[in-house]
Amino acid sequence: MANPSGDSHGCRSRRSILAATGVGTASALAGCLGGDSNGEGSDDGSGDGGSGETTVRMRTSTASTTAYAANQGLASAVNDGTDELFVEAQTSQGTEANLGALNGGDAEMVYIQNWSAYEVREGVEPFDQLDFEMTQVFHFYDLPWFFITDDADLETLSDIGDGTTVSPTPSGSGTAPALERALGYATDGYERVSTGYGEQGNAMNENQLDVGVGTLMNFAITPSWLQEIASSVDLRVLDVDDSTAQAWEDDERLLSQPTDVGQIENATTPGEVPAPTFSYNFICRGDLEYDTVYTFLEAMYEQRSSLSEYHGILGTFEDDAFWVQNVYENVPFHPAAADFYEEIGVWSDDFDRADE
């Protein structure tokens, strides 16, 4: 079953040259995090492929996801907009593999989410082995998460108890740790089960699942698997008590955003609920060439009014402010990105700029 993203980068800056020990560390980390696992015949490397173009390899997620499909559309749009770059959308197993790819030099731009950005910033193992400066390039999309049920006796998250079976996304997913943490503020106990996104409806009908999860891509698009659940069960979205909502706001690990769940068809909802949100942004190494990043953003921006023709979810880029929405705190922007956003008028003094 597809994940919910379907959905689990003339050079003014200098390139760092890894010492011999650094190369060893990079190679080990790439192996540990799966950085060289692409799954498709890909370029041997970035740079001039002999045609005068600079190759930019971009990684998101697996081939069945909306993230990958949208990235293919984005690559096509940039390729149509400039002769200086060749952008290649590549598959990936997810955030850890993406960071490994950057570390091992197997990609130029990759997407991650705010949970992983925090772990990189804080040096949480194994990200303490990364040997590059992580810099932001642009915001890609958001996934707010909320909890769903078909049990009329459950109205809020705080109604969940020891006998309640809950699947806060399948075990092992990149989303699970954050939702488990969020759920811990509302209840002292529940029975953790693991159910695939599209399998939640059947599991509820068979009394194997009491509470599952849903999402709205960019707060507006209902994924097909959630539509199917709503058509197969008496779908209800659980409300969130004020105390739980405040705890989410106070937790620096969580990004909580108000989400209008009333737009979900065939569902009983509270209207608007706070939702733990994953902000997916593209990042690159701080030593990626200035002109590569600037040319990429310039070509993408020139195509912004037609990006939705390449993939529907890319229509959000028509709004200039979306490019820098939900940026990662204390993670600097690549110098070229900072200059670009200053020029189009969306740069904020609250943002950080990496040194050249």
Side-chain angles (χ1 to χ4, degrees):
M1 180 67 194
N3 74 16
S5 296
D7 58 294
S8 129
H9 238 288
C11 309
R12 288 207 259 170
S13 64
R14 59 185 183 278
R15 276 203 180 274
S16 64
I17 302 175
L18 295 177
T21 55
V23 172
T25 300
S27 299
L29 183 64
C32 173
L33 299 182
D36 57 355
S37 176
N38 179 33
E40 296 187 353
S42 63
D43 233 75
D44 291 329
S46 64
D48 188 343
S51 62
E53 297 176 330
T54 297
T55 298
V56 178
R57 297 161 296 177
M58 300 180 70
R59 295 194 183 187
T60 50
S61 190
T62 56
S64 61
T65 61
T66 294
Y68 174 66
N71 193 30
Q72 285 184 305
L74 185 58
S76 296
V78 175
N79 287 337
D80 289 343
T82 179
D83 294 328
E84 298 178 45
L85 303 178
F86 173 70
V87 182
E88 180 182 0
Q90 296 185 346
T91 56
S92 169
Q93 292 305 306
T95 291
E96 290 192 358
N98 288 343
L99 288 165
L102 278 189
N103 203 68
D106 297 311
E108 283 64 60
M109 290 188 194
V110 302
Y111 91 168
I112 62 172
Q113 26 78 356
N114 50 288
W115 183 267
S116 296
Y118 178 93
E119 293 189 325
V120 173
R121 192 186 76 203
E122 297 299 315
V124 176
E125 192 176 348
F127 303 123
D128 56 342
Q129 301 178 53
L130 295 173
D131 61 8
F132 64 89
E133 180 184 24
M134 177 175 64
T135 58
Q136 301 187 75
V137 183
F138 65 95
H139 180 54
F140 193 42
Y141 64 75
D142 295 295
L143 289 181
W145 290 93
F146 42 86
F147 292 84
I148 60 175
T149 186
D150 68 341
D151 188 342
D153 292 331
L154 298 177
E155 295 183 1
T156 72
L157 289 185
S158 299
D159 293 331
I160 293 173
D162 290 338
T164 310
T165 53
V166 183
S167 178
T169 72
S171 298
S173 77
T175 314
L179 293 187
E180 290 169 354
R181 184 182 181 97
L183 194 55
Y185 285 111
T187 177
D188 292 332
Y190 56 91
E191 182 183 346
R192 174 58 155 108
V193 297
S194 182
T195 307
Y197 301 102
E199 300 167 357
Q200 295 178 110
N202 288 336
M204 289 178 183
N205 278 326
E206 296 172 1
N207 296 318
Q208 297 175 350
L209 177 67
D210 295 318
V211 177
V213 291
T215 188
L216 292 170
M217 300 189 69
N218 277 338
F219 301 93
I221 300 174
T222 304
S224 58
W225 55 265
L226 185 57
Q227 294 174 8
E228 292 172 3
I229 294 172
S231 67
S232 64
V233 303
D234 183 15
L235 184 66
R236 300 170 180 270
V237 176
L238 294 178
D239 206 350
V240 179
D241 290 341
D242 291 342
S243 59
T244 300
Q246 187 60 54
W248 290 353
E249 286 288 335
D250 294 340
D251 189 336
E252 65 177 357
R253 294 297 310 271
L254 299 175
L255 172 63
S256 178
Q257 304 267 269
T259 302
D260 177 16
V261 293
Q263 63 190 291
I264 304 171
E265 296 182 359
N266 300 318
T268 301
T269 79
E272 183 175 275
V273 295
T277 300
F278 278 71
S279 172
Y280 287 81
N281 297 347
F282 270 94
I283 63 168
C284 69
R285 298 175 63 108
D287 58 6
L288 183 59
E289 284 91 345
Y290 181 101
D291 288 351
T292 297
V293 176
Y294 193 92
T295 300
F296 176 94
L297 290 172
E298 185 177 48
M300 181 178 164
Y301 188 74
E302 289 174 352
Q303 298 277 75
R304 65 190 182 283
S305 62
S306 60
L307 285 176
S308 61
E309 298 174 12
Y310 293 88
H311 193 283
I313 199 173
L314 300 178
T316 48
F317 287 101
E318 287 195 62
D319 179 4
D320 290 2
F322 182 82
W323 296 59
V324 291
Q325 181 171 294
N326 287 339
V327 301
Y328 304 145
E329 292 186 3
N330 300 318
V331 177
F333 277 88
H334 190 281
D339 286 348
F340 182 80
Y341 294 132
E342 284 183 350
E343 291 177 15
I344 67 171
V346 295
W347 181 258
S348 169
D349 291 339
D350 293 333
F351 299 161
D352 297 319
R353 174 193 172 103
D355 296 331
E356 291 191 52

PDB file of all heavy atoms in Angstrom, residues 322-349:
ATOM      1  N   PHE A 322       4.645  30.356   0.083  1.00  0.00           N
ATOM      2  CA  PHE A 322       4.681  28.918   0.318  1.00  0.00           C
ATOM      3  C   PHE A 322       6.102  28.376   0.253  1.00  0.00           C
ATOM      4  O   PHE A 322       6.433  27.401   0.929  1.00  0.00           O
ATOM      5  CB  PHE A 322       3.797  28.194  -0.704  1.00  0.00           C
ATOM      6  CG  PHE A 322       3.745  26.704  -0.489  1.00  0.00           C
ATOM      7  CD1 PHE A 322       2.881  26.163   0.458  1.00  0.00           C
ATOM      8  CD2 PHE A 322       4.546  25.844  -1.221  1.00  0.00           C
ATOM      9  CE1 PHE A 322       2.828  24.790   0.669  1.00  0.00           C
ATOM     10  CE2 PHE A 322       4.500  24.476  -1.019  1.00  0.00           C
ATOM     11  CZ  PHE A 322       3.639  23.947  -0.069  1.00  0.00           C
ATOM     12  N   TRP A 323       6.956  29.009  -0.523  1.00  0.00           N
ATOM     13  CA  TRP A 323       8.319  28.518  -0.710  1.00  0.00           C
ATOM     14  C   TRP A 323       9.106  28.489   0.598  1.00  0.00           C
ATOM     15  O   TRP A 323      10.040  27.695   0.745  1.00  0.00           O
ATOM     16  CB  TRP A 323       9.054  29.386  -1.729  1.00  0.00           C
ATOM     17  CG  TRP A 323       8.480  29.338  -3.108  1.00  0.00           C
ATOM     18  CD1 TRP A 323       7.211  29.673  -3.495  1.00  0.00           C
ATOM     19  CD2 TRP A 323       9.146  28.929  -4.308  1.00  0.00           C
ATOM     20  NE1 TRP A 323       7.056  29.499  -4.850  1.00  0.00           N
ATOM     21  CE2 TRP A 323       8.221  29.048  -5.370  1.00  0.00           C
ATOM     22  CE3 TRP A 323      10.438  28.493  -4.584  1.00  0.00           C
ATOM     23  CZ2 TRP A 323       8.553  28.744  -6.687  1.00  0.00           C
ATOM     24  CZ3 TRP A 323      10.781  28.180  -5.899  1.00  0.00           C
ATOM     25  CH2 TRP A 323       9.840  28.303  -6.938  1.00  0.00           C
ATOM     26  N   VAL A 324       8.733  29.343   1.539  1.00  0.00           N
ATOM     27  CA  VAL A 324       9.454  29.416   2.814  1.00  0.00           C
ATOM     28  C   VAL A 324       8.507  29.156   3.989  1.00  0.00           C
ATOM     29  O   VAL A 324       8.720  29.634   5.102  1.00  0.00           O
ATOM     30  CB  VAL A 324      10.166  30.772   2.982  1.00  0.00           C
ATOM     31  CG1 VAL A 324      11.318  30.902   1.992  1.00  0.00           C
ATOM     32  CG2 VAL A 324       9.186  31.940   2.797  1.00  0.00           C
ATOM     33  N   GLN A 325       7.468  28.382   3.758  1.00  0.00           N
ATOM     34  CA  GLN A 325       6.508  28.054   4.813  1.00  0.00           C
ATOM     35  C   GLN A 325       7.069  26.929   5.680  1.00  0.00           C
ATOM     36  O   GLN A 325       7.699  25.998   5.191  1.00  0.00           O
ATOM     37  CB  GLN A 325       5.187  27.621   4.179  1.00  0.00           C
ATOM     38  CG  GLN A 325       4.089  27.269   5.171  1.00  0.00           C
ATOM     39  CD  GLN A 325       2.761  27.078   4.475  1.00  0.00           C
ATOM     40  OE1 GLN A 325       2.178  28.010   3.925  1.00  0.00           O
ATOM     41  NE2 GLN A 325       2.275  25.839   4.475  1.00  0.00           N
ATOM     42  N   ASN A 326       6.824  27.011   6.981  1.00  0.00           N
ATOM     43  CA  ASN A 326       7.230  25.959   7.920  1.00  0.00           C
ATOM     44  C   ASN A 326       8.698  25.575   7.772  1.00  0.00           C
ATOM     45  O   ASN A 326       9.054  24.392   7.684  1.00  0.00           O
ATOM     46  CB  ASN A 326       6.345  24.720   7.762  1.00  0.00           C
ATOM     47  CG  ASN A 326       4.958  24.923   8.330  1.00  0.00           C
ATOM     48  OD1 ASN A 326       4.738  25.800   9.162  1.00  0.00           O
ATOM     49  ND2 ASN A 326       4.003  24.131   7.883  1.00  0.00           N
ATOM     50  N   VAL A 327       9.567  26.582   7.762  1.00  0.00           N
ATOM     51  CA  VAL A 327      10.998  26.304   7.663  1.00  0.00           C
ATOM     52  C   VAL A 327      11.490  25.724   8.979  1.00  0.00           C
ATOM     53  O   VAL A 327      10.850  25.870  10.027  1.00  0.00           O
ATOM     54  CB  VAL A 327      11.792  27.580   7.306  1.00  0.00           C
ATOM     55  CG1 VAL A 327      11.301  28.155   5.989  1.00  0.00           C
ATOM     56  CG2 VAL A 327      11.693  28.615   8.416  1.00  0.00           C
ATOM     57  N   TYR A 328      12.635  25.062   8.941  1.00  0.00           N
ATOM     58  CA  TYR A 328      13.189  24.423  10.127  1.00  0.00           C
ATOM     59  C   TYR A 328      13.959  25.432  10.965  1.00  0.00           C
ATOM     60  O   TYR A 328      14.844  26.131  10.447  1.00  0.00           O
ATOM     61  CB  TYR A 328      14.113  23.271   9.736  1.00  0.00           C
ATOM     62  CG  TYR A 328      13.451  22.228   8.860  1.00  0.00           C
ATOM     63  CD1 TYR A 328      14.166  21.568   7.872  1.00  0.00           C
ATOM     64  CD2 TYR A 328      12.114  21.892   9.028  1.00  0.00           C
ATOM     65  CE1 TYR A 328      13.572  20.613   7.076  1.00  0.00           C
ATOM     66  CE2 TYR A 328      11.504  20.939   8.236  1.00  0.00           C
ATOM     67  CZ  TYR A 328      12.229  20.298   7.261  1.00  0.00           C
ATOM     68  OH  TYR A 328      11.637  19.352   6.466  1.00  0.00           O
ATOM     69  N   GLU A 329      13.635  25.491  12.238  1.00  0.00           N
ATOM     70  CA  GLU A 329      14.316  26.427  13.129  1.00  0.00           C
ATOM     71  C   GLU A 329      15.782  26.061  13.290  1.00  0.00           C
ATOM     72  O   GLU A 329      16.144  24.886  13.389  1.00  0.00           O
ATOM     73  CB  GLU A 329      13.638  26.436  14.506  1.00  0.00           C
ATOM     74  CG  GLU A 329      12.245  27.031  14.504  1.00  0.00           C
ATOM     75  CD  GLU A 329      11.681  27.140  15.905  1.00  0.00           C
ATOM     76  OE1 GLU A 329      12.413  26.807  16.868  1.00  0.00           O
ATOM     77  OE2 GLU A 329      10.506  27.536  16.045  1.00  0.00           O
ATOM     78  N   ASN A 330      16.630  27.080  13.304  1.00  0.00           N
ATOM     79  CA  ASN A 330      18.067  26.918  13.520  1.00  0.00           C
ATOM     80  C   ASN A 330      18.750  26.066  12.452  1.00  0.00           C
ATOM     81  O   ASN A 330      19.811  25.499  12.698  1.00  0.00           O
ATOM     82  CB  ASN A 330      18.336  26.331  14.915  1.00  0.00           C
ATOM     83  CG  ASN A 330      17.794  27.210  16.026  1.00  0.00           C
ATOM     84  OD1 ASN A 330      17.921  28.432  15.987  1.00  0.00           O
ATOM     85  ND2 ASN A 330      17.162  26.598  17.013  1.00  0.00           N
ATOM     86  N   VAL A 331      18.127  25.958  11.296  1.00  0.00           N
ATOM     87  CA  VAL A 331      18.759  25.329  10.139  1.00  0.00           C
ATOM     88  C   VAL A 331      18.888  26.408   9.067  1.00  0.00           C
ATOM     89  O   VAL A 331      17.871  26.927   8.587  1.00  0.00           O
ATOM     90  CB  VAL A 331      17.942  24.135   9.598  1.00  0.00           C
ATOM     91  CG1 VAL A 331      18.605  23.555   8.351  1.00  0.00           C
ATOM     92  CG2 VAL A 331      17.781  23.060  10.672  1.00  0.00           C
ATOM     93  N   PRO A 332      20.090  26.802   8.687  1.00  0.00           N
ATOM     94  CA  PRO A 332      20.250  27.931   7.771  1.00  0.00           C
ATOM     95  C   PRO A 332      19.834  27.596   6.344  1.00  0.00           C
ATOM     96  O   PRO A 332      19.796  26.427   5.946  1.00  0.00           O
ATOM     97  CB  PRO A 332      21.751  28.213   7.836  1.00  0.00           C
ATOM     98  CG  PRO A 332      22.372  26.880   8.155  1.00  0.00           C
ATOM     99  CD  PRO A 332      21.394  26.210   9.092  1.00  0.00           C
ATOM    100  N   PHE A 333      19.516  28.629   5.588  1.00  0.00           N
ATOM    101  CA  PHE A 333      19.279  28.484   4.158  1.00  0.00           C
ATOM    102  C   PHE A 333      20.613  28.511   3.417  1.00  0.00           C
ATOM    103  O   PHE A 333      21.560  29.196   3.830  1.00  0.00           O
ATOM    104  CB  PHE A 333      18.397  29.622   3.641  1.00  0.00           C
ATOM    105  CG  PHE A 333      16.926  29.395   3.847  1.00  0.00           C
ATOM    106  CD1 PHE A 333      16.303  29.780   5.033  1.00  0.00           C
ATOM    107  CD2 PHE A 333      16.156  28.791   2.864  1.00  0.00           C
ATOM    108  CE1 PHE A 333      14.951  29.575   5.227  1.00  0.00           C
ATOM    109  CE2 PHE A 333      14.798  28.577   3.051  1.00  0.00           C
ATOM    110  CZ  PHE A 333      14.192  28.973   4.234  1.00  0.00           C
ATOM    111  N   HIS A 334      20.665  27.771   2.330  1.00  0.00           N
ATOM    112  CA  HIS A 334      21.821  27.870   1.436  1.00  0.00           C
ATOM    113  C   HIS A 334      21.946  29.329   1.001  1.00  0.00           C
ATOM    114  O   HIS A 334      20.929  30.001   0.783  1.00  0.00           O
ATOM    115  CB  HIS A 334      21.620  26.958   0.226  1.00  0.00           C
ATOM    116  CG  HIS A 334      22.832  26.815  -0.628  1.00  0.00           C
ATOM    117  ND1 HIS A 334      23.217  27.782  -1.537  1.00  0.00           N
ATOM    118  CD2 HIS A 334      23.757  25.816  -0.705  1.00  0.00           C
ATOM    119  CE1 HIS A 334      24.321  27.385  -2.152  1.00  0.00           C
ATOM    120  NE2 HIS A 334      24.675  26.198  -1.670  1.00  0.00           N
ATOM    121  N   PRO A 335      23.172  29.869   0.894  1.00  0.00           N
ATOM    122  CA  PRO A 335      23.335  31.287   0.526  1.00  0.00           C
ATOM    123  C   PRO A 335      22.592  31.677  -0.743  1.00  0.00           C
ATOM    124  O   PRO A 335      22.022  32.776  -0.822  1.00  0.00           O
ATOM    125  CB  PRO A 335      24.850  31.427   0.359  1.00  0.00           C
ATOM    126  CG  PRO A 335      25.421  30.377   1.245  1.00  0.00           C
ATOM    127  CD  PRO A 335      24.470  29.224   1.170  1.00  0.00           C
ATOM    128  N   ALA A 336      22.581  30.793  -1.744  1.00  0.00           N
ATOM    129  CA  ALA A 336      21.881  31.112  -2.990  1.00  0.00           C
ATOM    130  C   ALA A 336      20.377  31.193  -2.765  1.00  0.00           C
ATOM    131  O   ALA A 336      19.696  32.053  -3.331  1.00  0.00           O
ATOM    132  CB  ALA A 336      22.205  30.064  -4.061  1.00  0.00           C
ATOM    133  N   ALA A 337      19.851  30.300  -1.923  1.00  0.00           N
ATOM    134  CA  ALA A 337      18.419  30.334  -1.618  1.00  0.00           C
ATOM    135  C   ALA A 337      18.074  31.601  -0.850  1.00  0.00           C
ATOM    136  O   ALA A 337      17.058  32.251  -1.109  1.00  0.00           O
ATOM    137  CB  ALA A 337      18.029  29.094  -0.819  1.00  0.00           C
ATOM    138  N   ALA A 338      18.943  31.970   0.090  1.00  0.00           N
ATOM    139  CA  ALA A 338      18.705  33.193   0.866  1.00  0.00           C
ATOM    140  C   ALA A 338      18.650  34.404  -0.053  1.00  0.00           C
ATOM    141  O   ALA A 338      17.748  35.254   0.058  1.00  0.00           O
ATOM    142  CB  ALA A 338      19.801  33.361   1.914  1.00  0.00           C
ATOM    143  N   ASP A 339      19.604  34.501  -0.975  1.00  0.00           N
ATOM    144  CA  ASP A 339      19.615  35.624  -1.916  1.00  0.00           C
ATOM    145  C   ASP A 339      18.371  35.614  -2.789  1.00  0.00           C
ATOM    146  O   ASP A 339      17.761  36.669  -3.055  1.00  0.00           O
ATOM    147  CB  ASP A 339      20.867  35.565  -2.789  1.00  0.00           C
ATOM    148  CG  ASP A 339      22.124  35.968  -2.036  1.00  0.00           C
ATOM    149  OD1 ASP A 339      22.005  36.515  -0.917  1.00  0.00           O
ATOM    150  OD2 ASP A 339      23.230  35.732  -2.560  1.00  0.00           O
ATOM    151  N   PHE A 340      17.983  34.434  -3.236  1.00  0.00           N
ATOM    152  CA  PHE A 340      16.815  34.332  -4.116  1.00  0.00           C
ATOM    153  C   PHE A 340      15.561  34.798  -3.396  1.00  0.00           C
ATOM    154  O   PHE A 340      14.759  35.566  -3.955  1.00  0.00           O
ATOM    155  CB  PHE A 340      16.658  32.896  -4.614  1.00  0.00           C
ATOM    156  CG  PHE A 340      15.507  32.713  -5.550  1.00  0.00           C
ATOM    157  CD1 PHE A 340      15.610  33.065  -6.890  1.00  0.00           C
ATOM    158  CD2 PHE A 340      14.287  32.219  -5.094  1.00  0.00           C
ATOM    159  CE1 PHE A 340      14.532  32.923  -7.758  1.00  0.00           C
ATOM    160  CE2 PHE A 340      13.211  32.073  -5.947  1.00  0.00           C
ATOM    161  CZ  PHE A 340      13.336  32.428  -7.283  1.00  0.00           C
ATOM    162  N   TYR A 341      15.376  34.361  -2.166  1.00  0.00           N
ATOM    163  CA  TYR A 341      14.167  34.736  -1.433  1.00  0.00           C
ATOM    164  C   TYR A 341      14.170  36.208  -1.056  1.00  0.00           C
ATOM    165  O   TYR A 341      13.104  36.828  -0.971  1.00  0.00           O
ATOM    166  CB  TYR A 341      13.999  33.839  -0.210  1.00  0.00           C
ATOM    167  CG  TYR A 341      13.738  32.395  -0.594  1.00  0.00           C
ATOM    168  CD1 TYR A 341      14.436  31.344  -0.006  1.00  0.00           C
ATOM    169  CD2 TYR A 341      12.800  32.088  -1.577  1.00  0.00           C
ATOM    170  CE1 TYR A 341      14.205  30.034  -0.384  1.00  0.00           C
ATOM    171  CE2 TYR A 341      12.570  30.784  -1.963  1.00  0.00           C
ATOM    172  CZ  TYR A 341      13.273  29.756  -1.368  1.00  0.00           C
ATOM    173  OH  TYR A 341      13.051  28.463  -1.761  1.00  0.00           O
ATOM    174  N   GLU A 342      15.332  36.775  -0.856  1.00  0.00           N
ATOM    175  CA  GLU A 342      15.399  38.225  -0.648  1.00  0.00           C
ATOM    176  C   GLU A 342      14.925  38.955  -1.895  1.00  0.00           C
ATOM    177  O   GLU A 342      14.184  39.939  -1.819  1.00  0.00           O
ATOM    178  CB  GLU A 342      16.828  38.640  -0.300  1.00  0.00           C
ATOM    179  CG  GLU A 342      17.243  38.306   1.123  1.00  0.00           C
ATOM    180  CD  GLU A 342      18.640  38.813   1.445  1.00  0.00           C
ATOM    181  OE1 GLU A 342      19.351  39.257   0.504  1.00  0.00           O
ATOM    182  OE2 GLU A 342      19.034  38.768   2.620  1.00  0.00           O
ATOM    183  N   GLU A 343      15.320  38.457  -3.059  1.00  0.00           N
ATOM    184  CA  GLU A 343      14.982  39.121  -4.321  1.00  0.00           C
ATOM    185  C   GLU A 343      13.492  39.039  -4.642  1.00  0.00           C
ATOM    186  O   GLU A 343      12.936  39.967  -5.234  1.00  0.00           O
ATOM    187  CB  GLU A 343      15.816  38.529  -5.457  1.00  0.00           C
ATOM    188  CG  GLU A 343      17.300  38.890  -5.341  1.00  0.00           C
ATOM    189  CD  GLU A 343      18.136  38.249  -6.431  1.00  0.00           C
ATOM    190  OE1 GLU A 343      17.550  37.773  -7.428  1.00  0.00           O
ATOM    191  OE2 GLU A 343      19.371  38.211  -6.282  1.00  0.00           O
ATOM    192  N   ILE A 344      12.829  37.935  -4.256  1.00  0.00           N
ATOM    193  CA  ILE A 344      11.393  37.836  -4.561  1.00  0.00           C
ATOM    194  C   ILE A 344      10.545  38.361  -3.406  1.00  0.00           C
ATOM    195  O   ILE A 344       9.316  38.335  -3.477  1.00  0.00           O
ATOM    196  CB  ILE A 344      10.974  36.399  -4.936  1.00  0.00           C
ATOM    197  CG1 ILE A 344      11.089  35.451  -3.748  1.00  0.00           C
ATOM    198  CG2 ILE A 344      11.784  35.894  -6.129  1.00  0.00           C
ATOM    199  CD1 ILE A 344      10.482  34.063  -4.022  1.00  0.00           C
ATOM    200  N   GLY A 345      11.190  38.813  -2.339  1.00  0.00           N
ATOM    201  CA  GLY A 345      10.485  39.510  -1.282  1.00  0.00           C
ATOM    202  C   GLY A 345       9.842  38.662  -0.206  1.00  0.00           C
ATOM    203  O   GLY A 345       8.913  39.115   0.466  1.00  0.00           O
ATOM    204  N   VAL A 346      10.328  37.426  -0.002  1.00  0.00           N
ATOM    205  CA  VAL A 346       9.735  36.580   1.037  1.00  0.00           C
ATOM    206  C   VAL A 346      10.723  36.244   2.153  1.00  0.00           C
ATOM    207  O   VAL A 346      10.398  35.475   3.062  1.00  0.00           O
ATOM    208  CB  VAL A 346       9.171  35.262   0.436  1.00  0.00           C
ATOM    209  CG1 VAL A 346       8.027  35.566  -0.505  1.00  0.00           C
ATOM    210  CG2 VAL A 346      10.261  34.454  -0.262  1.00  0.00           C
ATOM    211  N   TRP A 347      11.912  36.812   2.101  1.00  0.00           N
ATOM    212  CA  TRP A 347      12.908  36.547   3.148  1.00  0.00           C
ATOM    213  C   TRP A 347      12.489  37.220   4.445  1.00  0.00           C
ATOM    214  O   TRP A 347      11.934  38.310   4.447  1.00  0.00           O
ATOM    215  CB  TRP A 347      14.279  37.042   2.709  1.00  0.00           C
ATOM    216  CG  TRP A 347      15.358  36.779   3.716  1.00  0.00           C
ATOM    217  CD1 TRP A 347      15.920  37.660   4.584  1.00  0.00           C
ATOM    218  CD2 TRP A 347      16.004  35.523   3.941  1.00  0.00           C
ATOM    219  NE1 TRP A 347      16.874  37.027   5.352  1.00  0.00           N
ATOM    220  CE2 TRP A 347      16.949  35.719   4.981  1.00  0.00           C
ATOM    221  CE3 TRP A 347      15.880  34.247   3.381  1.00  0.00           C
ATOM    222  CZ2 TRP A 347      17.767  34.697   5.458  1.00  0.00           C
ATOM    223  CZ3 TRP A 347      16.697  33.231   3.856  1.00  0.00           C
ATOM    224  CH2 TRP A 347      17.620  33.448   4.877  1.00  0.00           C
ATOM    225  N   SER A 348      12.753  36.537   5.560  1.00  0.00           N
ATOM    226  CA  SER A 348      12.447  37.077   6.876  1.00  0.00           C
ATOM    227  C   SER A 348      13.721  37.210   7.694  1.00  0.00           C
ATOM    228  O   SER A 348      14.632  36.367   7.585  1.00  0.00           O
ATOM    229  CB  SER A 348      11.457  36.157   7.613  1.00  0.00           C
ATOM    230  OG  SER A 348      11.342  36.516   8.966  1.00  0.00           O
ATOM    231  N   ASP A 349      13.778  38.228   8.510  1.00  0.00           N
ATOM    232  CA  ASP A 349      14.934  38.403   9.398  1.00  0.00           C
ATOM    233  C   ASP A 349      15.040  37.279  10.415  1.00  0.00           C
ATOM    234  O   ASP A 349      16.088  37.114  11.063  1.00  0.00           O
ATOM    235  CB  ASP A 349      14.843  39.746  10.123  1.00  0.00           C
ATOM    236  CG  ASP A 349      15.042  40.929   9.200  1.00  0.00           C
ATOM    237  OD1 ASP A 349      15.627  40.732   8.108  1.00  0.00           O
ATOM    238  OD2 ASP A 349      14.603  42.055   9.529  1.00  0.00           O
TER     239      ASP A 349
END
